[in-house]
Amino acid sequence: MPPAINTSRVTEGRPNPLGATWTGLGVNFALFSAHATKVELCLFDASGETELERIELPEYTNEVFHGFLPDARPGTIYAYRVHGPYEPEAGHRFNPNKLLLDPYALSHVGDLKWDHALFGYTIGHKDKDLSFDERDSAVFMPKCRVVDPAFTWGNDRRPRIPWERTIFYETHVKGITKRHPLVPEDQRGTYAGLANRDVIRHIKSLGVTSVELLPIHFFLNDDYLLEKGMINYWGYNSLGFFSPARRYARTPDFAFSEFKEMVARLHDAGLEVIMDVVYNHTAEGNEQGATLSFKGIDNASYYRLLPDQKRYYINDTGTGNTVNLSHPRVLQMVTDSLRYWVNEMHVDGFRFDLGTILAREPDGFDNQSAFLKACNQDPLLADVKLIAEPWDIGPGGYQVGNFSPGWAEWNDKYRDTVRGFWVGEEGKAADLGNRLAGSADLFDHNGRKPWASVNFLAAHDGFTLNDLVTYDEKHNEANGEDNRDGHSHNISHNYGVEGPTDDPEINAVRERQIRNMLATLYLSQGTPMLLAGDEFGRTQQGNNNAYCQDNEISWLDWDWKEKGERLVAFTQRLAALRDRFPVLRRGRFLSGEFHEASGVKGLSWLKPSGEEMDSADWEDPNTRCLARLLDGRAQESGIRRPGHDATLLMIMNAYHEAVEFTLPASQDGTAWVRLLDTNIEEEDEDEEASFDIGHTYTVTGRSLLLFSLKTRKRKAR
């Protein structure tokens, strides 16, 4: 028997703020639903297993049900039952037999146990989701916990890294430390593990400024994965946008405070915290999915439904449903969530999964959408880093370069072009020129800057850098889908053997190609993003879709061996070069225009003869060796600092054979100083060896070089 409904202790309370708010005198409960007829607050014992009583929220104001419970306190366990029409064909799926999580819950208790009772319809019924299921789902559901958000932050300050100096490091909270030998065992795979001083020291050594975390919002494991003995490792299956995932806390009930402690320690080391957030869909799936929260609270408001068949969901995400950011209350929930993580949890920015979804209106993508306007005008959100994954699978979903000013975007054109160039594809020269110069063809409009292009060569989704040079084909057999999942177009090459080999020549080429790609990434205009572990040659054994691999396939192996040590040292050299020469991270787009004040061109492209490339060179599909000449003297104005007026020559040879390259003449130049040659092991490289103007340098096949121009000392005026 369900507990009796009790209304004697509840008063009307307030409709704002939404969620469960501890006031010091009790807890105010407020839940939005435009179409419900009644909302019951369900209170549970401390374990969340026994429902103690149900209290009908007494007031309904501006589509918000609300009530104040004076004897509720932080730690109170609760959830909701929402009454209303069960009319799937009209878009309504209310079912009070299904316990529902508060969209604004700050903390959760327990785990979801998949069962047919979680579904609003009767699975197996002839009418499918048009049927109505009367089983109670409470015993299978996690619950919400009232939280007192008070936390002593002390002297915590956001690092506020300028965009021009930003380098992202994409990682997974668990995966980065699960196998780390210097992290205490009880901290491995947790928020505390990521905050370990040895882990932070390594991240800092790479020049990284901002740690980008795969999703840590409260999320669920898919039932089909659990049936196969797997879990949703990446976490792109959110159900609560205000609560940190319990699974990454040493003590799950204290995830709230442990996350904050991690942020404080990263901030103390000068590192920003960027969250990968999934506001485009939820874990409830399509019309055949479970009723866990939004679907049972107000399905027609929270999700985009087919206009003429509201039983079905618009699926621009590929996950079954699409969150309806066109609804003002749903937009409010997302922006409230963002502000909460900035204001209360002190995070420094967000990477928006399938960001195009968030900027969709009923007629399609709009870079003046309500969501983008809300973020851009909000003084709190406009002051943090906002990064879009600028695509989805819906009509017109690919929008790289089209987000509004103030946003940065993942640039997959950079990824594919640089991969294609180094693997030896034809006709990549012209596109490579654009990508290395900050992708001005995509981003140089409306006052946007080169940093708007987030350059990356590998990310969580796809091959690691090591696997790009080790496998021709994906190897996702461990996922249990007969290797059908994941991308097949990886722009990779194994150089003669599929997988690891003992062949020294193949291994030498592979390691040099990794160095080539790392160097290209760090020396390009734009904002670099490094995938955790690529700095020491991490492998996923050819798996390019390790979303369900919570094991050694995904966890970073910190036993680097000699190859890993060499790559880490090389990456650290690249970070030092990017820091030393600001011309590599200019705040404005460089052009090939002659700069009258300095008498030089800021950007030139050269062919092996040392002469400037012409249209025929750019159009030649066989152009695989070219050089970028950056002249830092081409500045409009401003204070000159060391390195700002440096002239740098980067030569890239993607041919498999050596090319003779003539080092060009340059105004005031006396010699070229070699800073980098990916063909030379660090211990064998002469410290900044000098070469005469006009020297013919033998550029090894598949290698990259960087020179700086040594100039005559200018006479003081």
Side-chain angles (χ1 to χ4, degrees), residues 69 197 241 277 285 299 377 442 445 515 528 637 691 693 713:
L69 196 60
R197 63 182 180 181
F241 300 124
V277 288
N299 184 66
Q377 64 80 38
L442 300 173
H445 58 85
R515 290 196 295 268
S637 61
F691 299 86
I693 297 292
K713 292 184 178 180

Side-chain angles (χ1 to χ4, degrees), residues 222-239:
D222 312 73
D223 56 343
Y224 77 92
L225 289 177
L226 293 174
E227 290 174 358
K228 295 193 294 183
M230 302 175 183
I231 70 166
N232 190 315
Y233 174 71
W234 285 350
Y236 292 92
N237 202 30
S238 299
L239 192 62

Side-chain angles (χ1 to χ4, degrees), residues 455-526:
N455 301 330
F456 68 104
L457 293 172
H460 66 275
D461 185 4
F463 276 156
T464 65
L465 276 189
N466 181 84
D467 290 356
L468 279 173
V469 301
T470 308
Y471 298 94
D472 277 354
E473 308 292 339
K474 63 182 180 178
H475 294 272
N476 298 351
E477 290 82 4
N479 295 354
E481 299 180 41
D482 297 324
N483 204 32
R484 294 189 303 270
D485 61 306
H487 297 289
S488 295
H489 182 59
N490 295 290
I491 319 179
S492 62
H493 191 21
N494 65 23
Y495 302 96
V497 174
E498 185 74 353
T501 179
D502 293 328
D503 188 312
E505 292 186 6
I506 292 177
N507 284 332
V509 172
R510 288 176 174 179
E511 191 171 337
R512 189 164 69 248
Q513 287 287 57
I514 293 175
R515 290 196 295 268
N516 290 336
M517 288 188 283
L518 284 171
T520 305
L521 180 66
Y522 269 78
L523 302 179
S524 294
Q525 302 290 321

Side-chain angles (χ1 to χ4, degrees), residues 160-306:
R160 297 182 181 276
I161 306 297
W163 267 109
E164 292 83 0
R165 300 190 70 94
T166 298
I167 299 178
F168 292 122
Y169 188 74
E170 191 197 33
T171 191
H172 187 282
V173 169
K174 182 176 183 178
I176 189 173
T177 65
K178 187 62 178 174
R179 303 176 70 184
H180 200 298
L182 299 181
V183 175
E185 282 197 35
D186 70 319
Q187 296 181 16
R188 294 178 188 175
T190 69
Y191 300 123
L194 179 54
N196 178 277
R197 63 182 180 181
D198 291 298
V199 177
I200 290 176
R201 184 182 299 115
H202 171 75
I203 294 173
K204 291 279 289 183
S205 76
L206 306 173
V208 166
T209 65
S210 311
V211 179
E212 183 175 311
L213 304 177
L214 265 66
I216 57 85
H217 280 162
F218 174 70
F219 67 92
L220 301 183
N221 292 317
D222 312 73
D223 56 343
Y224 77 92
L225 289 177
L226 293 174
E227 290 174 358
K228 295 193 294 183
M230 302 175 183
I231 70 166
N232 190 315
Y233 174 71
W234 285 350
Y236 292 92
N237 202 30
S238 299
L239 192 62
F241 300 124
F242 293 80
S243 175
R246 291 160 45 87
R247 64 185 72 194
Y248 304 134
R250 285 176 293 174
T251 305
D253 287 347
F254 292 97
F256 181 83
S257 58
E258 289 188 27
F259 179 87
K260 289 186 173 184
E261 291 174 15
M262 177 197 73
V263 172
R265 292 189 182 276
L266 290 170
H267 281 180
D268 186 58
L271 291 169
E272 294 181 318
V273 177
I274 309 297
M275 288 174 51
D276 193 335
V277 288
V278 189
Y279 295 112
N280 58 80
H281 74 278
T282 78
E284 290 187 301
N286 61 13
E287 66 277 359
Q288 297 181 36
T291 297
L292 309 171
S293 180
F294 312 94
K295 186 178 290 185
I297 293 172
D298 193 347
N299 184 66
S301 295
Y302 276 109
Y303 295 116
R304 294 192 186 277
L305 308 177
L306 291 177

Side-chain angles (χ1 to χ4, degrees), residues 353-407:
D353 179 61
L354 300 184
T356 300
I357 290 288
L358 307 179
R360 276 188 184 275
E361 297 294 356
D363 294 332
F365 175 84
D366 183 355
N367 70 0
Q368 295 298 312
S369 70
F371 173 73
L372 295 182
K373 286 180 179 177
C375 291
N376 291 341
Q377 64 80 38
D378 188 292
L380 196 61
L381 300 182
D383 195 38
V384 300
K385 290 183 166 70
L386 303 175
I387 307 116
E389 182 184 36
W391 51 76
D392 63 32
I393 68 167
Y398 189 77
Q399 295 293 335
V400 174
N402 293 330
F403 274 68
S404 54
W407 283 71

Side-chain angles (χ1 to χ4, degrees), residues 685-704:
E685 188 167 355
D686 295 335
E687 184 69 23
E688 299 195 347
S690 293
F691 299 86
D692 294 336
I693 297 292
H695 174 82
T696 300
Y697 193 103
T698 302
V699 181
T700 305
R702 300 185 177 116
S703 68
L704 180 150

